[in-house]
């Protein structure tokens, strides 16, 4: 019997797995300048569709807990924070990124969590979340791109 067979050596599989795990654990430094984080985290590109999913996920972004959003099929939009309907018209991607990574850099009194604050700078964190950010760098970039698409009331 003839045919194409793809094989992977154990060393190659371990190397690939190690690279994926390293990428998941990697933290990329960022800085706020003029109320913005201009450079994408880790040089990543976001995807609006994935960003919408993260924003709606109650164990990830959970934006609807506090914000009204242009997502009529979802019930129970929050009203603790500004509506996000036209947030992409109000802020550029760098300004959105700064608000997602650590809103406290802009508004120290904000109730919004810091989604990508360095894990060593977090306080009172459950053991299972210690050493982790709320969102990964990729998830932050996905949310930023999604929020950037929200331009209409």
């Amino acid at each position: 019997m003839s045919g194409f067979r793809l094989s992977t050596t154990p060393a190659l599989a371990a190397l690939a797995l190690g690279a994926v795990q390293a990428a998941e654990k990697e933290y990329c430094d960022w800085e706020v300048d003029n109320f913005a984080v201009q450079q994408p985290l880790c040089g990543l590109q976001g995807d609006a569709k994935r960003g919408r999913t993260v924003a709606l996920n109650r164990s990830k972004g959970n934006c609807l807990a506090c914000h009204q959003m242009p997502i009529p099929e979802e019930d129970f939009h929050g009203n603790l924070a500004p509506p996000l309907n036209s947030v992409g018209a109000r802020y550029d991607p760098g300004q959105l990124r700064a608000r997602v990574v650590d809103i406290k850099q802009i508004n120290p009194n904000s109730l919004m969590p810091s989604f990508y604050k360095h894990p060593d700078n977090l306080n009172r964190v459950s053991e299972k979340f210690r050493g982790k950010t709320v969102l990964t760098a990729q998830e932050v970039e996905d949310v930023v791109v999604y929020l950037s698409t929200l331009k209409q009331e």
Side-chain angles (χ1 to χ4, degrees):
M1 179 172 163
S2 67
F4 180 74
R5 182 175 163 217
L6 178 65
S7 65
T8 305
T9 65
L12 183 58
L15 180 62
L17 179 60
V20 168
Q21 290 172 340
E24 289 174 357
K25 293 180 182 179
E26 182 178 333
Y27 177 84
C28 300
D29 289 324
W30 50 268
E31 65 179 55
V32 174
D33 182 31
N34 199 26
F35 304 104
V37 175
Q38 292 299 342
Q39 298 303 312
L41 301 178
C42 306
L44 297 167
Q45 290 186 338
D47 176 82
K49 185 175 180 182
R50 288 191 315 247
R52 184 181 192 276
T53 300
V54 171
L56 291 176
N57 186 324
R58 296 197 188 282
S59 62
K60 287 286 185 178
N62 199 18
C63 300
L64 285 177
C66 298
H67 298 277
Q68 291 180 6
M69 297 180 73
I71 304 173
E73 67 275 14
E74 292 289 331
D75 294 330
F76 309 114
H77 294 239
N79 60 7
L80 292 173
L84 297 179
N85 294 25
S86 61
V87 71
R90 295 191 308 265
Y91 300 113
D92 67 34
Q95 293 168 320
L96 291 169
R97 188 175 297 107
R99 284 156 174 78
V100 174
V101 296
D102 188 7
I103 187 65
K104 308 282 191 288
Q105 298 287 316
I106 296 164
N107 178 2
N109 296 318
S110 177
L111 297 174
M112 184 170 152
S114 300
F115 288 99
Y116 197 76
K117 187 173 182 178
H118 195 288
D120 293 345
N121 298 328
L122 299 174
N123 297 317
R124 298 167 47 189
V125 177
S126 170
E127 187 63 37
K128 72 178 183 176
F129 297 113
R130 194 157 295 157
K132 300 176 184 173
T133 56
V134 176
L135 297 179
T136 65
Q138 184 63 67
E139 289 167 333
V140 168
E141 292 306 317
D142 293 342
V143 169
V144 167
V145 170
Y146 169 64
L147 293 175
S148 294
T149 69
L150 303 181
K151 306 225 184 220
Q152 303 278 327
E153 279 296 323

